[in-house]
Amino acid sequence: MTAAALARLVAPSGVQITLVESEAIGTVGVGESTLPHIRAFNERLGIDEAAFMKATRATFKLGIQFENWGQIGGSYIHPFGDYGAPGGEAPFHHYWLRGRELGDVGPIDDYSLPVVAAREGRFAPPSDDPRSLLSTYRYAYQFDATLYARFLRGMAETEGVRRIEGRIQNVAQDGESGAITKVTLDDGRQIEGDLFVDCSGFRALLIEQTLKAGFTDWSHWLPCDRAVALPCESDQPTVPYTRATALEAGWQFRIPLQHRVGNGYVYSSAFIDDAAALDRLVGRLEGKPLKAPNVLKFTAGQRTRNWAANCVSVGLSSGFIEPLESTSIYLIQIAITKLIELWPTAVIDPATEAEFNRQMDLEYVRIRDFIILHYCATARNDTPFWDYVRTMPLPDTLSEKIELFRARGIVQDYREGLFLHPSWVAVYLGQDILPRRHHPLVDAVSATQLMSSLERLRRMVREASYKLPSQDDYIARYCAHLPL
Ligand SMILES: Cc1cc2nc3c(=O)[nH]c(=O)nc-3n(C[C@H](O)[C@H](O)[C@H](O)COP(=O)(O)OP(=O)(O)OC[C@H]3O[C@@H](n4cnc5c(N)ncnc54)[C@H](O)[C@@H]3O)c2cc1C
């Protein structure tokens, strides 16, 4: 992603880009579920959507379904879109909250077109008309990450990136400034550079092994530190959502692609051992496994400085927050975007580094808090893992947000950062954090008018969803992958 973006957006100004990769080391090989922002990234690179979806066996994604999180048996979808129809003086959930006080209005999910369409396996692209219900959602993709990397590598090479196959063995630094001057490969080749982007994954070869940028450990809030991934066959229709099912010591992901389903159990090794986690995952597969299981170890947290000297970390080298809300590829994209916005001159001034780090810290911390919310907002007390996360002390930044929502139904607003209003509402309400009071502005509507509007809206959402094609039909017409 970095090489392709820099080739397209920075190279025209006279910058030469070299990509060093090692097929012997390979990539982490997981990471298949994305957020809607990736569409802007692809568009900026001039990628044709249908061609990209064919090449990566992609499906559409309207949200994430959470099973058994707030309580066993609980289920909700965090949609990529709004609740309610466009308009209204207060956010829609306040109207819904007042409706609940007056009578049976059903779950808030019934008022979200992306949720209803996702549950029914339907998909069509949103409308541009802001008055239409069909404009109330966005979408992302579920794709084969290895194929996406191959697709982008092809693009980057076409755009003039020099790709070198080889394993970096040594990293040289300037004796005075500490800046990286060159890397040496195992066959002795040397590659010099002015700016180095560390995309070496969990190894963090340049940013940590060389520059010792530090790591802020968040595992006391996010105790999952392992994952076992195992793709399998499926004969089910593809659904336009990723599923995250809470299990006894973590959670399982299910990501439906055109040709297979990606599965994994993300767990805490303090509460379950590797063999038991693998057994649990295998026991829950819907079809024949397609590979040997891939066990990954990690620590939740962030590189203390994402940019240090003349090195910028992008991807897993910059930190890791478990993939519960599919945020890692987004963090790659945002790091690339910020790097391009702050593209340095020949002399890298400390202010640039500080600004990049400030912006990345905000992104990371906000994602961290949002992920912790999924664990702490629970009534589950069935295993020691759930007892731990339910009762752990929270970061102040998150406690304040939860208290404001519990008291007033108000979502703390911020300008920079990923998850906006509807996402927080989805998880709060989906995991049973119910505000004590609705917003007073909604009292302007009479009780009768409110109840009939809610009923009409619910019907409109049902009807709008019913008119959409099934995702499988849409894919078959638009972007079915060609036989290999
Ligand atoms: C279980 C799991 C599930 C995930 N699911 C999602 C998801 O659904 N959505 C999402 O957005 N993200 C997800 N992620 C994160 C996602 O997989 C990564 O963000 C993404 O794959 C990018 O990884 P990377 O490029 O930083 O590292 P890697 O894939 O590890 O790539 C590192 C690269 O550096 C090269 N390299 C390393 N050392 C050397 C060396 N010495 N010399 C030369 N080259 C070297 C390697 O060859 C490789 O090309 C998941 C992660 C895990 C662990």
Side-chain angles (χ1 to χ4, degrees), residues 157-177:
E157 286 182 304
T158 313
E159 302 265 346
V161 167
R162 181 168 68 121
R163 182 186 180 278
I164 296 178
E165 171 60 36
R167 192 188 188 111
I168 295 169
Q169 214 149 40
N170 274 307
V171 184
Q173 286 173 274
D174 180 84
E176 223 170 276
S177 67

Side-chain angles (χ1 to χ4, degrees), residues 5 17 44 120 138 155 168 188 231-232 258 264 292 346 348 474 484:
I17 297 164
R44 210 168 162 204
E120 292 177 354
R138 301 186 298 152
M155 265 190 68
I168 295 169
C232 76
Q258 288 187 32
I348 301 173
Y474 192 86
L484 281 170

Side-chain angles (χ1 to χ4, degrees), residues 24 54-55 135 170 196 222 235 324 344 381 428 450 482:
K54 264 183 209 171
S135 72
N170 274 307
F196 289 80
L222 296 168
D235 55 9
L324 187 56
N381 58 3
Y428 285 136
L450 176 70
L482 301 170

Side-chain angles (χ1 to χ4, degrees), residues 62 113 117 122-125 134 137 463-470:
L62 291 170
L113 180 54
R122 298 177 188 278
F123 179 82
L134 293 170
Y137 61 93
E463 287 169 4
S465 170
Y466 188 68
K467 285 187 194 140
L468 300 177
S470 80

Side-chain angles (χ1 to χ4, degrees), residues 107-385:
I108 195 162
D109 280 9
D110 289 358
Y111 302 86
S112 164
L113 180 54
V115 173
V116 174
R119 285 198 197 282
E120 292 177 354
R122 298 177 188 278
F123 179 82
S127 152
D128 292 334
D129 178 357
R131 292 160 307 174
S132 163
L133 253 189
L134 293 170
S135 72
T136 58
Y137 61 93
R138 301 186 298 152
Y139 67 91
Y141 311 108
Q142 306 170 120
F143 57 50
D144 184 322
T146 307
L147 295 177
Y148 184 51
R150 197 179 295 165
F151 183 84
L152 292 177
R153 172 183 156 185
M155 265 190 68
E157 286 182 304
T158 313
E159 302 265 346
V161 167
R162 181 168 68 121
R163 182 186 180 278
I164 296 178
E165 171 60 36
R167 192 188 188 111
I168 295 169
Q169 214 149 40
N170 274 307
V171 184
Q173 286 173 274
D174 180 84
E176 223 170 276
S177 67
I180 296 172
T181 51
K182 64 180 175 198
V183 295
T184 307
L185 305 187
D186 49 4
D187 61 5
R189 275 178 296 170
Q190 299 193 333
I191 300 140
E192 295 185 348
D194 299 312
L195 180 75
F196 289 80
V197 186
D198 185 343
C199 302
S200 66
F202 287 129
R203 283 173 198 81
L205 195 65
L206 309 182
I207 195 79
E208 190 58 47
Q209 289 189 37
T210 308
L211 293 170
K212 314 270 183 276
F215 189 76
T216 310
D217 186 329
W218 291 329
S219 52
H220 48 296
W221 289 313
L222 296 168
C224 287
D225 59 354
R226 304 253 166 118
V228 53
L230 189 53
C232 76
E233 289 178 349
S234 174
D235 55 9
Q236 306 289 315
T238 66
V239 288
Y241 59 86
T242 294
R243 181 181 303 143
T245 307
L247 299 178
E248 47 289 299
W251 58 281
Q252 179 191 350
F253 60 83
R254 176 187 187 276
I255 307 175
L257 312 186
Q258 288 187 32
H259 60 314
R260 63 168 169 79
V261 167
N263 309 282
Y265 185 0
V266 178
Y267 57 95
S268 168
S269 61
F271 295 95
I272 190 171
D273 64 40
D274 293 348
L278 175 60
D279 274 358
R280 187 75 166 106
L281 180 65
V282 170
R284 290 176 55 85
L285 291 187
E286 66 200 64
K288 205 170 101 204
L290 291 168
K291 272 190 190 165
N294 181 9
V295 179
L296 300 131
K297 296 183 184 170
F298 49 82
T299 306
Q302 186 201 354
R303 195 67 51 209
T304 311
R305 286 180 303 150
N306 277 198
W307 182 325
N310 62 339
C311 174
V312 181
S313 56
V314 173
L316 298 173
S317 63
S318 75
F320 186 59
I321 297 177
E322 60 187 80
L324 187 56
E325 287 278 359
S326 322
T327 44
S328 285
I329 294 175
Y330 165 81
L331 282 168
I332 294 175
Q333 172 183 348
I334 210 76
I336 297 168
T337 309
K338 291 183 193 303
L339 171 60
I340 294 173
E341 275 167 16
L342 295 167
W343 191 257
T345 53
V347 180
I348 301 173
D349 55 298
T352 307
E353 176 186 324
E355 177 57 12
F356 182 87
N357 288 335
R358 185 190 71 82
Q359 293 191 25
M360 289 308 294
D361 288 355
L362 274 177
E363 294 281 348
Y364 261 96
V365 167
R366 282 168 176 165
I367 292 173
R368 178 200 72 188
D369 284 359
F370 190 55
I371 302 300
I372 297 172
L373 174 66
H374 297 66
Y375 286 107
C376 67
T378 189
R380 284 189 67 157
N381 58 3
D382 51 303
T383 65
F385 173 83

